[in-house]
Amino acid sequence: MPNPSPASPAPPRFSLVRWSVDHPKTVLLVTALVTLLALIPLPRIRTDTNPKNMLPPEAPVRVRNAEVERTFVLEEDMIVVGIRNEAGILNAGTLGKIYRITEAILRLPGVVSQDVTSFVTITNVATEAGTVHVEPLMPEPPTSPSEIAALRAKLFTNPLLLDRIVSRDGKMTAIYVPLETGANGKVIADQIRSILRGERGTERFYVAGDPVARDTFGAEMFRLMAVFSPIAALVMFLAIYLMFRSFRLAGAMLAVAMVAILWSIGALVALGFPVHIMASMSPVFLMAIATDSIHIFNEFSFRRREASGRREAVLATMDAVSRPVRYTALATAAGFAVLLFMSIVPVRIFGGVIVLGTLVLRLLSFSFIPAVLMLLPDDRAAGAARDSEERRAGERTGMLGRILRALAGAGTRHPRATIAAVLAVIVVAAIGMTKIVVNNNMIGWFKPSSELRQADRAVNAALGGTSVAYIVATSDRPEAFKSPEALHALERLQARLSRLPVVGKTVSVADYVKRINRELHNDDPRMETIPDDPEAVGQCLFLFSSSARSTDLANIIDDTYQKANVQIQLKTWDASAMSEVLRAVDDFRRTAPPWISFFPAGIAYFNLVWNDVVLGDMIRGFALALVAVFLILALNFRSIRWAVVGSMPLLVTIVVIYGVVGWTGKQFDMPIAVLSCLSLGMAVDFSIHFIGRFQQRRTEMGGEPAGAGRSGPDATAEALLWTAERPGRGIVRNAILFAAAFSVMLFAPLTPYVTVGAFIVAMMLLSALLTLLLVPALIRIFPGSLARGAVSR
Amino acid sequence: MRAPSSIVSHRIPLASFGVALCLVASVLPGLRAFGAEPAVDIMTRMNQAYYYPGTSFRTTVLMTMGGPGTAGRERVMSMLRINVGDAGEQKYLLYFHKPGDVRRMSCMVWKHVDLPDERWMFVPITGQVVKVLAPERSSFIGSDFMREDLSGRDVDADNHTVLRQEKLDGRDCWVVESVPKKPADFTRYVTWVDRETSLPLKQEYYDIRGKLARVFTGGRIERVASEKNPAVLYPTVMDRTMRTLTSGRWTRVVFQDASYDPELKPGDFSQEHMRTPIGNWLPERAQRQASAGAKAPVATAEARRP
């Protein structure tokens, strides 16, 4: 790929830079027109805030979950409303509230009213003097002490109710609110909260559950992006202004970012894709990627002083930076293009948007930016920039320059010590990496002090749990789950699962049979067993079906009695909790009758699979991106050895960051996985600039290849120090801008944003630092072979 | 509630009402509802035609319950019914035959007019008859039918309005909207009443949010003879289905070997006879099945093809 060279008298082919420099106004006009065009599809923008759609509906886990839900008439999502009274809930006041709240929830659109579980809706079976009473547990709020005592007796003698709708200490109850497919958990949670606000008293109310977290997160994400994109833009604008003292320059850079964002989002919408959570992050990413053009402005601020005319300065600037700018854009695009091969559709769309945006940025770097540089009034803004540069030359070049020189100097003069120090850091970090725990918990994406986490904690502490999983037992035998043997197997499985601390409550058809058997035998607690006679089991089930809601039996056993559903309430949304359940089931299989098989389902299982798929995808993507970035470096430098040197700062940065993740005990979750993949294409930019400019400088200086001697100011060392000082300033400015843009996220209320922000800030600063320190050291250590690569160009 | 009487006596007035209404409707389309006979009369006649025909009744009931896309599970039972007195009281006996494990179970309902209905159940494993106190609007043996759907809802419990007349499956119908007078677990239901027979062909129940929740469809109207006088025929819905839209579950009830006015006395509906049905009460097919023991595939196979 030949560089556009202003030195050649007759350019061999059309040069976009040259044309843009000659027709700056046309370039600006065309850019503005295309941007207006990109605005046209924007009103049709569709959003998809449901993280569940990260997996397509035809993903095996979604297909199987849908099948289980159909078989057992279950709802996908459930909100859990907790009501707590420190003085105990069994008093007329609190019970009245439970009644009113339930009645109001039953009327909410999107709620599957007939499956709402609460004191008010549960049908209770009780035997009294030869009479079976089938009635709602609390048809209306009791008022007299005797009625309340009767309710207490019903609650605390029924293992089906204990831990489920009343806590053992009697201080907490829950209303389980299943949602219709496609209902928005946040919208319904907000409506429930407004119902709760209507109640006065000492009770505390909690709204918990995965759909609330999921949809709140989805909605928050878009909201945060709407807030953060402009703030990030403002921060960058100010940072650029402080660097160049020119509003026009800062404005021009911001315009570049905006144009790239609008073009790529416009294309996304025009192609009919919805904006998912991932793609909603693209503006901030593109803004950060756009900061790469700071190298052009940085170089221009030097060239403007050196060159005689503006046109020459622009052309000389572009000549100097075009190759690194082109390759950094390529590296970034390649890093994100890897996402196009992932199995998660929203990730692919996100990758596509960023790749497109990056290519647009590259196009703008060679047309729009030179045009803007031509149009900047000479004696005002750009002149001011130059003046201020010159005015501050003494102090600022001196300060930053000294630091940069010192950094590169350390690497240049003490390469072995530098490399040894970096190696030591790598060893410590590597030990940390072995401590990394992979886990994912969407509730954990909210801060511990958030209402959502508090609600989840409170409900999980007192009751069975807010997360739901199913273990479906199946058999080919006709009416298998009417046989006492099969029911005993379910009973044993439940006992095994209940030993896990993460399991709060399990319910299966065996529990119902035992309960009815006891009621049939005059409420004799000794009869709370599975009858030995299959006919008796059938009669218990018949009685149960005739005393419950029509879906109660359907929820736990299918029409053929060949599939039974063990419902599990988990006390945490950790993906690892479901892994524990799966291990326990595997363990149990060995002792279970061979004619029964078991498989998992439910939202907790979905979260586990989702977690694994995303994580696997990202780790694969990370490896692919590494290879892609390495290949681009090799292509850029036409040398494997230079590619190795160029990728070192990035690799060390990643090892250090994961080391910190491991040492601090932060769990390796999805946001971190996504990030590692994304950051590759961006953080490699620094070494592309550094090595590219170093090679240019070294060739310009001429003379003997490096390695002539380690003592004395040889040409290589001089070139390194020059690179650190001049393009190095661009690198540091780029890193600071990048970090500034993302540091805004550190103040987000959602932890993944804080993680993303911290991760990228650390990554940028660290890789800039390592580029300036480690690359010179490596060049010094292997001077001969590397210099050959440099000179061969 | 009016005295239960056979639909036969209603035929002529019904037809003349219909003719009159058609005339009014064609002349004054805008005032159709005013021209209609009072909705409460239509619903009272519907109640009579659906729940009370004859003095007594017996049939084999094939009940299938399933979910979306499933064949469902089947229950076979015999049903006996007698009208007691003129106030609208009734007694029902249900003997279960299939599946095998419930084959000796039975239920009895005494339907009262101003008092709550009484229900009993015989549980063979304990050998006891237990009284069951359950809300009218609760599921009948786990089906999509409510207890109330099977024994009838008091016409006076709701306010009725004729919405329109229209054809349903080629039959002229009154479309009546009923709104409960007291708060209930539904806000309204709409009934398509066949003008010829007064039988309900379709019913839509709307839940407390006003959303359509359950749909009843009555099909295959047959004229079933009285055992006492084969010339007297009672139009009867032989095949009915209730669908719960929210869960996708459905229950289908098919009558077989139905006959009116069998020899039954109110005293026969007793706890004693819950345990030991008298053979000739049951339709022949059910008898065979009941005596054949737990596994009686012959009757079932025939029963599947009504």
Side-chain angles (χ1 to χ4, degrees), chain A residues 662-677:
Chain A
W663 279 113
T664 55
K666 167 116 188 73
Q667 290 175 333
F668 184 88
D669 60 0
M670 234 161 44
I672 296 187
V674 173
L675 268 172
S676 3
C677 192

Side-chain angles (χ1 to χ4, degrees), chain A residues 505-582:
Chain A
K505 179 90 184 155
T506 65
V507 173
S508 82
V509 63
D511 296 305
Y512 287 140
V513 168
K514 288 192 283 188
R515 182 74 205 160
I516 296 290
N517 196 41
R518 172 178 166 169
E519 289 299 341
L520 278 179
H521 292 89
N522 292 312
D523 201 18
D524 181 351
R526 285 169 305 173
M527 295 308 287
E528 189 138 344
T529 53
I530 294 162
D532 296 329
D533 176 7
E535 198 161 307
V537 171
Q539 291 179 21
C540 286
L541 286 173
F542 180 86
L543 275 162
F544 176 72
S545 72
S546 110
S547 60
R549 293 182 288 187
S550 60
T551 45
D552 281 349
L553 190 63
N555 285 168
I556 50 158
I557 195 142
D558 83 325
D559 293 327
T560 62
Y561 295 97
Q562 288 180 312
K563 289 183 189 141
N565 183 15
V566 179
Q567 299 190 349
I568 303 165
Q569 280 178 268
L570 296 169
K571 284 181 174 291
T572 165
W573 288 95
D574 279 345
S576 58
M578 190 64 203
S579 306
E580 279 181 54
V581 168
L582 294 186

Side-chain angles (χ1 to χ4, degrees), chain A residues 108 111 114 132 134 180 546, chain B residues 131 133 142 147 209 211 246:
Chain A
L108 292 179
V111 168
Q114 75 274 18
V132 177
V134 178
E180 287 169 5
S546 110
Chain B
K131 187 157 191 179
L133 289 180
R147 291 182 160 90
R209 292 166 301 185
K211 208 172 133 187
T246 38

Side-chain angles (χ1 to χ4, degrees), chain A residues 497-712:
Chain A
L497 291 172
S498 298
R499 287 212 298 274
L500 299 174
V502 291
V503 172
K505 179 90 184 155
T506 65
V507 173
S508 82
V509 63
D511 296 305
Y512 287 140
V513 168
K514 288 192 283 188
R515 182 74 205 160
I516 296 290
N517 196 41
R518 172 178 166 169
E519 289 299 341
L520 278 179
H521 292 89
N522 292 312
D523 201 18
D524 181 351
R526 285 169 305 173
M527 295 308 287
E528 189 138 344
T529 53
I530 294 162
D532 296 329
D533 176 7
E535 198 161 307
V537 171
Q539 291 179 21
C540 286
L541 286 173
F542 180 86
L543 275 162
F544 176 72
S545 72
S546 110
S547 60
R549 293 182 288 187
S550 60
T551 45
D552 281 349
L553 190 63
N555 285 168
I556 50 158
I557 195 142
D558 83 325
D559 293 327
T560 62
Y561 295 97
Q562 288 180 312
K563 289 183 189 141
N565 183 15
V566 179
Q567 299 190 349
I568 303 165
Q569 280 178 268
L570 296 169
K571 284 181 174 291
T572 165
W573 288 95
D574 279 345
S576 58
M578 190 64 203
S579 306
E580 279 181 54
V581 168
L582 294 186
R583 274 195 300 277
V585 172
D586 279 340
D587 192 37
F588 175 75
R589 271 197 191 100
R590 286 197 291 277
T591 58
W595 43 275
I596 304 178
S597 45
F598 301 89
F599 69 84
I603 185 71
Y605 179 63
F606 172 85
N607 283 347
L608 174 67
V609 172
W610 182 49
N611 177 51
D612 288 352
V613 169
V614 175
L615 223 55
D617 238 20
M618 286 303 145
I619 290 166
R620 222 174 24 254
F622 182 72
L624 269 174
L626 258 184
V627 172
V629 164
F630 186 81
L631 286 179
I632 284 169
L633 283 175
L635 186 71
N636 180 20
F637 300 130
R638 308 277 194 279
S639 154
I640 298 290
R641 282 183 290 259
W642 275 109
V644 172
V645 171
S647 50
M648 273 308 144
L650 174 66
L651 282 178
V652 176
T653 305
I654 286 168
V655 170
V656 168
I657 285 173
Y658 285 146
V660 172
V661 167
W663 279 113
T664 55
K666 167 116 188 73
Q667 290 175 333
F668 184 88
D669 60 0
M670 234 161 44
I672 296 187
V674 173
L675 268 172
S676 3
C677 192
L678 303 187
S679 48
L680 275 182
M682 301 195 286
V684 79
D685 290 4
F686 301 148
S687 53
I688 291 182
H689 278 288
F690 189 93
I691 294 173
R693 298 298 299 280
F694 161 73
Q695 289 177 338
Q696 265 179 10
R697 183 69 180 171
R698 185 68 192 80
T699 314
E700 279 166 28
M701 286 168 73
E704 84 289 4
R710 236 157 253 136
S711 55

Side-chain angles (χ1 to χ4, degrees), chain A residues 56-190:
Chain A
E58 61 273 13
V61 62
R62 285 187 78 171
V63 170
R64 188 152 84 177
N65 266 1
E67 212 174 273
V68 167
E69 281 152 14
R70 211 169 38 244
T71 306
F72 295 108
V73 203
L74 295 161
E75 305 304 329
E76 199 173 13
D77 291 320
M78 190 168 67
I79 291 178
V80 184
V81 180
I83 300 169
R84 186 174 182 88
N85 186 339
E86 293 304 330
I89 52 159
L90 290 171
N91 64 74
T94 307
L95 292 172
K97 283 173 190 148
I98 296 171
Y99 183 83
R100 284 193 299 275
I101 291 166
T102 308
E103 287 289 315
I105 288 174
L106 290 176
R107 287 175 163 74
L108 292 179
V111 168
V112 184
S113 302
Q114 75 274 18
D115 291 340
V116 169
T117 301
S118 119
F119 280 17
V120 186
T121 60
I122 281 185
T123 312
N124 190 51
V125 187
T127 326
E128 259 171 55
T131 302
V132 177
H133 294 258
V134 178
E135 59 197 357
L137 196 57
M138 191 176 86
E140 46 203 31
T143 45
S144 70
S146 63
E147 282 174 322
I148 293 174
L151 178 62
R152 177 186 295 275
K154 283 179 200 164
L155 286 169
F156 285 93
T157 54
N158 190 341
L160 288 169
L161 305 180
L162 210 53
D163 283 338
R164 182 160 164 74
I165 63 157
V166 67
S167 64
R168 285 174 189 271
D169 61 8
K171 289 179 182 171
M172 187 130 177
T173 183
I175 304 172
Y176 296 86
V177 186
L179 306 185
E180 287 169 5
T181 308
N184 185 312
K186 181 186 187 303
V187 172
I188 294 175
D190 285 343

